[in-house]
Amino acid sequence: MRDTNESYRIHHADCLEINAVEPESLFDLIYLEPEASISSEELAVRVSSLLPHLTEEGFLLLHADVERAHAYKSILDVFGLPFKGDVIWCYRQRAVKTKALQNHRDTILVYSANPHYYPKRHLLAQPLVGPSSAERVGLSGQKPMELYKRLFRFFERYHRIATVLDPMMGSGSALVAALEQGRTVTGFDTSLEACRITENRLRLAIPASQQLVMELE
Ligand SMILES: C[S@@+](CC[C@H](N)C(=O)[O-])C[C@H]1O[C@@H](n2cnc3c(N)ncnc32)[C@H](O)[C@@H]1O
């Protein structure tokens, strides 16, 4: 399955196939959130096929939960792309009464050769997709669109983010968020269900992105 439109392209494929299906494409931002079960070797080989598709001053964001952030960092470091710190996403939903320390956060590792972006750590508080949220599509691991919108807006301060690649898109929230902001998006997923859900969401999001373009004109 390959679904194309001027604003988005979706591939029902392993992102390892990127050189075959998107040989010429370059992306200003690659956002990658692997499944917890991915091995170090599987991640390394995919990152190595994705990196040639990153623009010179673009950003690679690697999303990891608390347990995997350190392992992912050591895998990525061997590729030589400068490590530029991280964004800590804090997602606690409700006030917790216990006095125990809480661990409701993920780490988004930032890699970039962008000379204007210096290594730093940012905290970003954004609730999870609520159980009764209209945004929920029923796929586990779905992240909130607002998280992605804020991330893309933030990185755009340092480099124009016209094109976004999510090589393991799942629910497609990152792509829908980027499309609604007027960016061109490309996604991969090995799950047909994820591709169908994402394609449907992108199709519905198109009017919003066109409205944005019209407002700017
Ligand atoms: C953790 S989920 C992504 C969640 C997503 N960020 C969201 O907000 O919904 C990882 C996705 O990667 C897909 N996947 C796993 N291995 C893949 C591969 N080699 N190439 C492309 N997609 C893959 C899975 O089917 C799953 O949908």
Side-chain angles (χ1 to χ4, degrees):
M1 172 177 157
R2 178 173 191 258
D3 195 341
T4 61
N5 180 286
E6 276 179 21
S7 325
Y8 68 80
R9 285 195 299 278
I10 298 240
H11 302 285
H12 176 217
D14 189 321
C15 58
L16 206 48
E17 303 297 317
I18 188 161
N19 288 321
V21 297
E22 292 276 341
E24 308 290 334
S25 299
L26 288 174
F27 303 96
D28 300 310
L29 187 144
I30 300 178
Y31 165 84
L32 176 60
E33 186 198 3
E35 285 183 306
S37 56
I38 196 166
S39 70
S40 305
E41 295 73 25
E42 287 168 334
L43 179 57
V45 72
R46 281 162 183 80
V47 169
S48 111
S49 63
L50 295 170
L51 279 182
H53 296 271
L54 186 65
T55 52
E56 208 173 321
E57 295 189 6
F59 291 93
L60 170 68
L61 307 184
L62 179 59
H63 190 143
D65 65 18
V66 170
E67 286 154 32
R68 285 167 194 83
H70 288 93
Y72 284 5
K73 181 169 183 308
S74 46
I75 294 165
L76 265 280
D77 281 350
V78 301
F79 290 101
L81 189 62
F83 175 59
K84 294 289 185 78
D86 50 25
V87 178
I88 305 296
W89 170 36
C90 314
Y91 52 75
R92 196 173 69 184
Q93 285 266 83
R94 303 175 192 90
V96 178
K97 290 202 174 114
T98 173
K99 288 187 178 160
L101 297 182
Q102 298 297 305
N103 209 5
H104 300 272
R105 63 168 169 83
D106 282 0
T107 300
I108 299 166
L109 302 169
V110 180
Y111 288 85
S112 179
N114 189 308
H116 310 294
Y117 190 87
Y118 298 103
K120 54 192 113 175
R121 166 164 285 176
H122 293 276
L123 299 183
L124 199 166
Q126 182 67 44
L128 294 165
V129 180
S132 56
S133 165
E135 203 178 314
R136 185 167 278 281
V137 297
L139 287 180
S140 69
Q142 180 185 356
K143 306 293 176 299
M145 285 210 308
E146 192 56 26
L147 168 73
Y148 295 124
K149 286 190 173 173
R150 292 174 68 187
L151 279 174
F152 301 153
R153 257 186 247 123
F154 173 73
F155 285 103
E156 185 140 64
R157 292 184 202 167
Y158 303 92
H159 182 58
R160 170 92 175 97
I161 309 290
T163 48
V164 172
L165 169 68
D166 186 340
M168 298 187 181
M169 63 194 176
S171 66
S173 292
L175 299 183
V176 179
L179 187 72
E180 285 190 358
Q181 291 176 327
R183 312 180 203 282
T184 300
V185 303
T186 302
F188 285 78
D189 208 292
T190 46
S191 152
L192 186 56
E193 187 188 13
C195 290
R196 285 194 171 134
I197 288 173
T198 298
E199 199 280 330
N200 199 34
R201 295 180 78 195
L202 288 170
R203 200 159 15 85
L204 292 172
I206 279 204
S209 71
Q210 283 172 347
Q211 279 165 22
L212 181 70
V213 172
M214 284 167 65
E215 274 170 26
L216 293 175
E217 277 170 354

